[in-house]
Amino acid sequence: GKVPDQAIIDENLEKLGKVLDVYEEKLSRTKYLAGDFYSLADLFHLSFTYYFMKTPCANLINERPHVKAWWEDISSRPAFQKVASAMTFGEKGN
């Protein structure tokens, strides 16, 4: 219920962009973060990235083609789709 501090948001989006640049380079060589196999390294990112993709800042993922393809792959898995159907974002009463 508080007003977001845009300076903090901007600072951390810049940091995230640098991390995603590293991911983009890595994912240009392998399908997943730890290699060509789905692992805990990928699984760890699901819930945070799911919520992040519902923000106006999702372009940080979408503008990096390898990161975007990776996200689309891991987030489309049936097990995660089942979990995601129960995840809410800023909704009250759940």
Side-chain angles (χ1 to χ4, degrees), residues 1-5:
K2 295 183 179 183
V3 175
D5 184 330

Side-chain angles (χ1 to χ4, degrees), residues 6-56:
Q6 194 60 47
I8 292 172
I9 292 170
D10 292 344
E11 177 184 335
N12 285 288
L13 286 176
E14 183 178 338
K15 290 177 185 179
L16 178 60
K18 291 177 183 178
V19 171
L20 292 174
D21 287 342
V22 171
Y23 282 26
E24 180 68 13
E25 195 280 325
K26 169 65 177 160
L27 292 165
S28 72
R29 294 180 282 115
T30 62
K31 185 170 181 174
Y32 300 104
L33 292 175
D36 288 324
F37 53 91
Y38 184 72
S39 73
L40 287 174
D42 307 292
L43 184 63
F44 172 80
H45 291 77
L46 282 168
S47 60
F48 297 112
T49 307
Y50 176 80
Y51 288 122
F52 181 78
M53 293 302 288
K54 294 187 175 291
T55 73

